[in-house]
Amino acid sequence: FLILACSAPIEAPSDFNDLLSYTFIHTMDEDESELLAGIDNLLQFSNDNIVDLREGYAVSNLSQEALDSTGETFPESDGLYGVTLQYLVEYPVSSIAYCNTMADGMDVYPANYISYERENLTDVDCFVNRTCETFRYRSTINSSLALGAEMLSSYINELRWVELESGPAFVQRAWMDGEAESSVDWADMTANFYIGLTYSSPEGAETIAASWAAVQLGDVSLPEDILKNQAIDGLASNGEDLTAYLDANEVPE
């Protein structure tokens, strides 16, 4: 009783921008309590702001504490820009997890990549079977740009299962590891981060996602409305590609 009396309740932030950083920080905690508190607030925010989230909008940058939680040191990156979007895929959460861990990324996201390689850093089978809570992998992606240009980049991805009242859910965070290599001198990407919560709903799997990137195209900075629309379209295409892949392929549930 004394231990219970001395344990203060966990208070996750209510501001959405702070929640994104908070969730990023606690994704891989050994104790899931703080992560679950953040997820509760994310779900409440979604309930109250679903129309705006379906449309997508700009968000503040991740906090320094969130960046430090990766164990990496990131150089200051000018022009970092972030957006958020919520989308529905009418398949179970387990199917989305399979697509993001076991399926060939080139098959799932065919329009996005010239090549996609995944190096598993921990056991993927136990994660997909939900006998272990976390999974970590490196993805190396060669992306196509305008005018036949290409960009090679590497990412660290970390995923974490949690159980919610609605059913299974997972959090995924990712960051660009090192510098991107561009085939042209007019295109460069100096930073890229992602955080997403995929959870069960009566219709399938809902994902609340946010991504941040610092992209430079020549000496001209793109207007914010173009950056926002392109970034939101990128998140939306993830849901569309997942749906198309799952429509065409049977995957384990």
Side-chain angles (χ1 to χ4, degrees):
F1 286 112
L2 286 174
I3 292 173
L4 291 175
C6 294
S7 298
I10 296 170
E11 293 187 11
S14 56
D15 176 80
F16 185 68
N17 291 290
D18 292 340
L19 268 174
L20 294 176
S21 288
Y22 181 92
T23 305
F24 194 98
I25 290 167
H26 294 293
T27 296
M28 298 298 281
D29 284 359
E30 184 174 347
D31 183 343
E32 66 180 15
S33 300
E34 290 184 278
L35 178 61
L36 289 174
I39 289 173
D40 284 345
N41 286 4
L42 278 175
L43 296 178
Q44 184 59 57
F45 184 89
S46 173
N47 289 336
D48 296 339
N49 300 273
I50 188 61
V51 174
D52 290 337
L53 283 172
R54 291 280 191 223
E55 183 177 344
Y57 57 89
V59 293
S60 301
N61 290 338
L62 287 168
S63 68
Q64 187 61 51
E65 185 182 1
L67 302 184
D68 292 343
S69 72
T70 65
E72 306 286 344
T73 300
F74 297 101
E76 289 189 15
S77 184
D78 294 332
L80 193 65
Y81 189 82
V83 297
T84 188
L85 179 75
Q86 180 165 343
Y87 59 83
L88 169 68
V89 176
E90 295 180 345
Y91 285 90
V93 165
S94 56
S95 297
I96 311 302
Y98 180 91
C99 290
N100 288 350
T101 57
M102 296 284 278
D104 189 331
M106 286 290 292
D107 294 335
V108 180
Y109 306 105
N112 294 355
Y113 308 134
I114 297 171
S115 66
Y116 182 104
E117 297 180 1
R118 184 185 295 120
E119 176 192 359
N120 296 336
L121 302 176
T122 57
D123 190 338
V124 65
D125 292 316
C126 79
F127 180 78
V128 171
N129 296 331
R130 297 192 62 197
T131 54
C132 57
E133 293 183 349
T134 63
F135 175 54
R136 197 169 195 261
Y137 69 92
R138 180 191 303 277
S139 55
T140 302
I141 299 169
N142 195 17
S143 304
S144 59
L145 305 177
L147 304 176
E150 301 178 8
M151 183 174 290
L152 183 67
S153 52
S154 175
Y155 298 85
I156 298 297
N157 296 261
E158 296 180 330
L159 295 85
R160 168 74 171 271
W161 283 116
V162 291
E163 188 69 28
L164 307 179
E165 289 185 9
S166 61
F170 68 89
V171 180
Q172 181 169 357
R173 71 175 188 173
W175 62 90
M176 192 170 74
D177 183 33
E179 297 183 2
E181 299 177 14
S182 177
S183 64
V184 293
D185 57 8
W186 51 262
D188 190 23
M189 180 166 62
T190 57
N192 198 350
F193 303 94
Y194 172 87
I195 184 70
L197 166 67
T198 299
Y199 62 95
S200 303
S201 76
E203 293 78 23
E206 291 277 0
T207 296
I208 304 170
S211 65
W212 297 260
V215 178
Q216 186 70 30
L217 300 177
D219 296 326
V220 179
S221 297
L222 293 176
E224 282 199 4
D225 59 338
I226 294 178
L227 286 171
K228 183 183 78 170
N229 291 337
Q230 288 183 342
I232 289 173
D233 288 347
L235 290 177
S237 70
N238 289 345
E240 295 163 2
D241 288 343
L242 284 164
T243 297
Y245 178 83
L246 291 168
D247 284 346
N249 297 272
E250 291 187 11
V251 304
E253 294 186 6

